Amino acid sequence: MQIAHSTRRALLASTLALGLGGCGVSYVSPLVRDTASDNVDVVEITGQSIAFANSAPYTPRGLPEVFSRTAGSGGGLRGAGALPEAPAVPQAQPGPLDLRPPPETTPPTYRIGVGDVVQLATRVARPTGEAALGEAPAGELRQTYTVRDDGAIAIPDVGAVEIGGLTIEEAEQRVFERFIETGADPDFSLEIAGFNSQGITVGGDVAAPTRVPVTLNVPTLDEALTAAGGLQVTTPEFASIRVYRDGTLYQIPLADYDRDGRLRSIQLLPGDSVFVDTAYDLDRALAYYTQQINAASLRRTERTAALEELQAEVGLRRDALDEERALFRARDELGAVPRDYVYLTGEVTQQRRYALPFGQQATLADALFDQGGFETETGNPSQIYVLRATPGEEDVTAWHLDARSAANLTLATRFELRPNDIVFIEEQPITRWNRAFQQFFPSLVTTASSAVD
């Protein structure tokens, strides 16, 4: 029995020795440096070498022209008809702008209007001790009144006094006369505390369209635009500042406004409307045609038909663009569109081919992290390679990135990829041993068990 046990131990030892002896051929993993030959040149990726790597000529494939076309451009569609012609109105299309500034004028004296707030200060008997609540230290009682719709203010013990349409001096005279008529002490002062009845509207391409109140000092054109936050013009070559006053439309091209300081100092008048208008673009095409059709005073039925035709044309063009773009995407998904690819292998999250984008360069970082990066548990961050073949030759350049220092990953954001590059990440040494052992161990146990039996 003892001899039988010794024989079994010897057989088990022999089996282990044979298995371990065969371990070197039980698992083979791809490496770069160990298999490098005369036609493989390993080059470190550094800030200096990146410039040489990126010098390899490559022009990214471009998207079809349909992706740069808008619904407002291009020729007519079959069955859709042409866009309605613009009515014959002055300056219907962008072109040179005439300078038509408003005439020089002097603002009239401010006249009180509906909604204005006036403050009336009257003398009161000084009470003994401290001043009563609401009284000024000098024995004055200050009260505010809002001008009603009928132009009057209602003063206690005096009654309604109509001051709408009067200057401040005329209003003081009217209140004085009313005080004398009612026997009140005519020792008072009157001033405007809130200017609400008159204003200048500012709109168009400004930061904050607003209504600028007119006070005793009427603002200039520059002051009104500043109150609206300043100009917000994207196409200054076609922009103009238009002032509407008493039924007349004045025009100041923005180029003249910027060049001539006198235009910025134009004196506005109460009731003026200032509008900053810019050139036409695709976003405003529909609004432009709508305005021009309305401006031509077409009959209602003709105007409706023209607008419907315009909307149908723009809608058909938009649908056609969407259909062409969807068709291109479908062909791309089916692989019917020529693309440039980079191949990811080794210890990446997903071994696959990465399509280089249209119209722009892609970097090593783009390919690595597009779908999750690489396996940090099994992948060796010190052995990241971009394998690039020399066109027409058998030579291969292995661009090596050592990412044990995470800061070196910034180099990956600058390294540009080229068609048919292979991004390869080696496995960790411990990973290589574990995988070899996982393949070897089941067969070892089976062999050993057979030997023992």
Side-chain angles (χ1 to χ4, degrees):
M1 180 67 67
Q2 185 174 4
I3 296 175
H5 283 299
S6 299
T7 303
R8 289 181 178 180
R9 284 196 296 269
L11 289 173
L12 179 60
S14 299
T15 302
L16 288 171
L18 290 172
L20 291 173
C23 182
V25 297
S26 65
Y27 177 76
V28 176
S29 61
L31 302 172
V32 173
R33 294 183 184 273
D34 291 349
T35 60
S37 60
D38 293 340
N39 67 328
V40 179
D41 185 17
V42 178
V43 180
E44 298 296 324
I45 296 179
T46 64
Q48 292 72 31
S49 64
I50 282 179
F52 177 75
N54 293 346
S55 65
Y58 172 61
T59 301
R61 295 180 182 270
L63 281 169
E65 182 268 341
V66 68
F67 282 90
S68 61
R69 199 164 66 233
T70 63
S73 62
L77 302 176
R78 185 175 61 184
L83 289 172
E85 296 182 359
V89 294
Q91 296 182 347
Q93 298 292 339
L97 299 173
D98 296 333
L99 174 60
R100 301 192 304 273
E104 295 184 5
T105 185
T106 300
T109 303
Y110 189 88
R111 293 187 176 274
I112 300 171
V114 176
D116 283 345
V117 178
V118 296
Q119 180 175 265
L120 181 66
T122 57
R123 293 284 181 180
V124 296
R126 182 71 177 268
T128 59
E130 296 182 357
L133 182 62
E135 296 179 1
E140 285 185 347
L141 177 63
R142 296 181 180 271
Q143 294 178 299
T144 57
Y145 304 94
T146 300
V147 179
R148 304 181 312 200
D149 291 343
D150 60 358
I153 57 174
I155 304 175
D157 301 328
V158 175
V161 181
E162 187 174 344
I163 62 173
L166 304 181
T167 66
I168 188 65
E169 292 81 8
E170 293 170 345
E172 284 183 334
Q173 180 62 30
R174 181 70 58 84
V175 173
F176 177 81
E177 294 172 355
R178 187 63 175 166
F179 272 37
I180 294 298
E181 292 175 0
T182 58
D185 184 1
D187 187 6
F188 69 91
S189 63
L190 184 71
E191 61 183 25
I192 302 175
F195 297 87
N196 302 317
S197 64
Q198 302 177 37
I200 296 171
T201 58
V202 183
D205 284 339
V206 293
T210 186
R211 179 181 182 273
V212 182
V214 171
T215 64
L216 299 178
N217 296 317
V218 183
T220 63
L221 179 57
D222 182 65
E223 292 170 342
L225 292 174
T226 300
L231 300 173
Q232 296 288 315
V233 177
T234 57
T235 52
E237 64 272 20
F238 296 124
S240 64
I241 303 170
R242 295 189 170 94
V243 180
Y244 182 79
R245 175 186 298 168
D246 296 332
T248 302
L249 186 64
Y250 302 97
Q251 176 174 274
I252 303 172
L254 185 57
D256 294 322
Y257 178 81
D258 291 336
R259 182 173 55 250
D260 192 344
R262 292 173 299 178
L263 296 175
R264 294 192 291 273
S265 302
I266 287 177
Q267 181 64 62
L268 298 178
L269 295 179
D272 282 355
S273 292
V274 179
F275 189 85
V276 181
D277 196 7
T278 55
Y280 308 90
D281 53 35
L282 293 178
D283 294 335
R284 298 188 179 184
L286 184 60
Y288 161 72
Y289 276 99
T290 301
Q291 292 171 357
Q292 299 309 310
I293 290 172
N294 290 334
S297 299
L298 298 173
R299 293 191 302 274
R300 178 175 297 274
T301 54
E302 294 176 345
R303 181 167 61 248
T304 301
L307 291 176
E308 290 177 351
E309 183 181 352
L310 171 63
Q311 293 167 350
E313 171 70 11
V314 174
L316 286 172
R317 288 183 178 178
R318 183 177 292 112
D319 292 342
L321 288 176
D322 292 342
E323 182 178 1
E324 290 186 61
R325 293 167 182 173
L327 178 60
F328 175 84
R329 295 188 181 98
R331 294 181 66 248
D332 185 36
E333 292 176 359
L334 295 173
V337 175
R339 296 294 299 270
D340 294 327
Y341 293 98
V342 167
Y343 301 89
L344 281 74
T345 185
E347 299 305 312
V348 293
T349 302
Q350 179 182 5
Q351 301 204 37
R352 63 189 183 91
R353 65 178 186 177
Y354 168 76
L356 295 178
F358 290 103
Q360 61 181 357
Q361 300 284 355
T363 66
L364 174 58
D366 293 330
L368 281 178
F369 298 102
D370 179 64
Q371 303 243 345
F374 63 93
E375 297 289 351
T376 56
E377 292 184 359
T378 61
N380 189 347
S382 69
Q383 302 298 324
I384 301 176
Y385 293 91
V386 177
L387 306 178
R388 181 175 298 171
T390 302
E393 301 179 12
E394 296 184 357
D395 294 339
V396 175
T397 301
W399 293 95
H400 173 230
L401 175 65
D402 185 351
R404 284 177 295 184
S405 172
N408 282 349
L409 287 174
T410 60
L411 297 174
T413 65
R414 297 160 50 193
F415 188 96
E416 296 177 358
L417 297 175
R418 296 293 182 263
N420 300 322
D421 279 353
I422 297 177
V423 178
F424 170 71
I425 302 178
E426 289 186 4
E427 58 193 351
Q428 296 271 13
I430 186 65
T431 302
R432 186 180 305 113
W433 187 89
N434 284 339
R435 289 172 176 170
F437 185 75
Q438 288 172 5
Q439 292 188 13
F440 162 74
F441 187 73
S443 62
L444 175 62
V445 172
T446 302
T447 304
S449 299
S450 300
V452 171
D453 293 338

